[in-house]
């Protein structure tokens, strides 16, 4: 019996075959194309879509850079998972300075991110490539790892290998505005030997746009590199941390976090402080504090209340001054090791990206903030706007985010979530009760800030599955 789908494809083939023959040169280097499906069609016992064979088997994941191991070791973990499947095979080797900084090696061991186990010096990578066995090289931070000199050495190693045994380079990237290393891309593209692997979709989209522009360059030396064909995928570095269900979900929202280096140009710390200070002056009780007395500099916790007071955690590094009114409200934790960081982060009720609205264009368009992956892996919902979800498309899911209307500032949203009520915001901002803005605000309260452990788990599983599909594509050279 021919299935209905078989018949539909057969009819489709009859229609498109003449077109495909006409287009043959265009399709000849493509993935599994319709013409191949049509050939398979002649034998109804074969599956409609045969997976492309695996082409890459020995992977080196390497970096000279003393950061981002949480990003590239997450990829090592995905690679090993995919290679352990019955239909795939292969092995991964890591080349990086040891030990990983900030106690990350503990995480590698605990989560078994790298079953291969042995980490070699990044200096030995080129010699290892020379032995001819490695067929895929992943660089952890191409902004650093593929600058002019290292790129030259790797290219020489590529050129030295016989045509029948070349390797592919995979570039993990974070920020398209970091352009020095990008001068290395055309030589790799010319050899059809590079693919780009950012950690978030909007950075991928920025690279695709940039490649389309360069592919069309007035300079024939750039134009001939074929940049429009460089594959761009996204691998989201989310680990399977042992996050306990240690948050008491039955109480009011209490612990918010802004995570990241304390740079006031990218994150709106000062505006958030000012708004929090203002909101505390209006209604300290809703935040769990006593009114400020004349002789006091800082708000004090109202211990007569049952609910825990609100706290804003700043987890990251650097220096930032806290207004004295907020000394008991804002808590700074800097320079944490990874195990401490994950433990504290997973105590948080909500994560506030706090991108400064006008000057953080880079976090929306060109650079990936790691906050989202950090929050997702620690089961912390993220307070977002539509704008953020359009950039970080992988978190556009109710299980991962709390969506506020952009008209509602972060502090207003936190207050409304804590109080379970938006009327204060609507009155204050003069927003009509049945307007779309009001509806978004009401929906935010209705969905609340609590996500069950099962929801968070299911969401992470969807990210891991998407990561596996990306790694499959890379191993199949699609
Ligand atoms: C905090 O609010 C008080 C008024 O309640 C104001 O005098 C003070 O300047 C504010 N501080 C900051 C840092 O915004």
């Amino acid at each position: 019996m021919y299935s209905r789908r078989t018949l539909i494809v057969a009819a489709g083939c009859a229609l498109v075959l003449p077109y495909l023959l006409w287009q043959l040169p265009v399709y000849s280097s493509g993935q599994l194309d319709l013409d191949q499906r049509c050939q398979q069609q002649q034998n109804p016992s074969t599956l409609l879509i045969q997976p492309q064979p695996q082409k890459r088997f020995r992977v080196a994941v390497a970096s000279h850079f003393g950061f981002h191991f949480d990003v590239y070791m997450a990829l090592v973990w995905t690679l090993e998972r995919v290679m352990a499947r019955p239909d795939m095979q292969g092995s991964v080797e890591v080349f990086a300075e040891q030990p990983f900084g900030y106690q990350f090696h503990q995480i590698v061991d605990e989560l078994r991110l790298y079953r291969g186990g042995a980490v070699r010096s990044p200096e030995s990578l080129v010699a290892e490539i020379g032995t001819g066995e490695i067929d895929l090289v992943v660089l952890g931070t191409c902004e650093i790892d593929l600058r002019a000199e290292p790129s030259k050495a790797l290219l020489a190693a590529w050129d030295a290998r016989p045509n029948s045994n070349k390797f592919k380079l995979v570039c993990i990237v974070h920020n398209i505005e970091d352009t020095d290393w990008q001068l290395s891309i055309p030589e790799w593209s010319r050899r059809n030997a590079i693919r780009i692997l950012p950690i978030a979709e909007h950075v991928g989209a920025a690279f695709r746009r940039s490649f389309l522009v360069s592919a069309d360059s007035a300079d024939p030396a750039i134009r001939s590199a074929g940049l429009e064909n460089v594959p761009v995928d996204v691998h989201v570095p989310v680990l399977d941390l042992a996050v306990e269900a240690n948050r008491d979900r039955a109480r009011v929202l209490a612990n918010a976090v802004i995570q990241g280096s304390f740079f006031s140009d990218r994150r709106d710390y000062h505006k958030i402080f000012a708004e929090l200070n203002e909101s505390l002056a209006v209604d300290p009780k809703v935040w769990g504090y006593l009114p400020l007395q004349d002789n006091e500099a800082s708000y004090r916790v109202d211990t007569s209340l049952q609910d825990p007071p609100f706290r804003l955690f700043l987890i990251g590094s650097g220096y930032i001054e806290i207004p004295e009114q907020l000394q008991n409200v804002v808590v700074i934790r800097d320079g944490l090791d990874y195990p401490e960081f994950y433990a504290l982060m997973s105590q948080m009720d909500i994560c506030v990206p706090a991108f400064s609205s006008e000057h953080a264009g880079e976090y929306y368009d060109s650079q990936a903030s790691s906050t989202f992956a950090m929050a997702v892996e620690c089961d912390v919902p993220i307070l977002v706007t539509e704008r953020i979800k359009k950039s970080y498309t992988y978190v556009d899911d109710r299980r991962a985010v709390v969506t506020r209307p952009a008209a509602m500032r972060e502090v207003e949203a936190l207050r409304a979530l804590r109080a379970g009520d938006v009327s204060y915001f609507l009155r204050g901002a003069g927003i009509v009760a049945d307007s779309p803005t009001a509806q978004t605000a009401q929906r935010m309260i209705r969905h609340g800030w609590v996500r069950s452990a099962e929801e968070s788990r299911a969401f992470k599983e969807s990210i891991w599955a998407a990561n596996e599909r990306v790694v499959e594509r890379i191993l199949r050279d699609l």
Side-chain angles (χ1 to χ4, degrees), residues 273-274 277-278 281 299 323 325:
F273 293 160
N277 177 47
E278 206 179 302
Y299 286 98
Q325 291 89 351

Side-chain angles (χ1 to χ4, degrees), residues 242-249 251 343 346-348:
V243 269
E244 312 285 322
N246 48 9
R247 258 169 291 148
D248 176 2
R249 295 179 157 99
R251 54 159 172 76
S346 41
Q347 306 279 333
M348 297 293 122

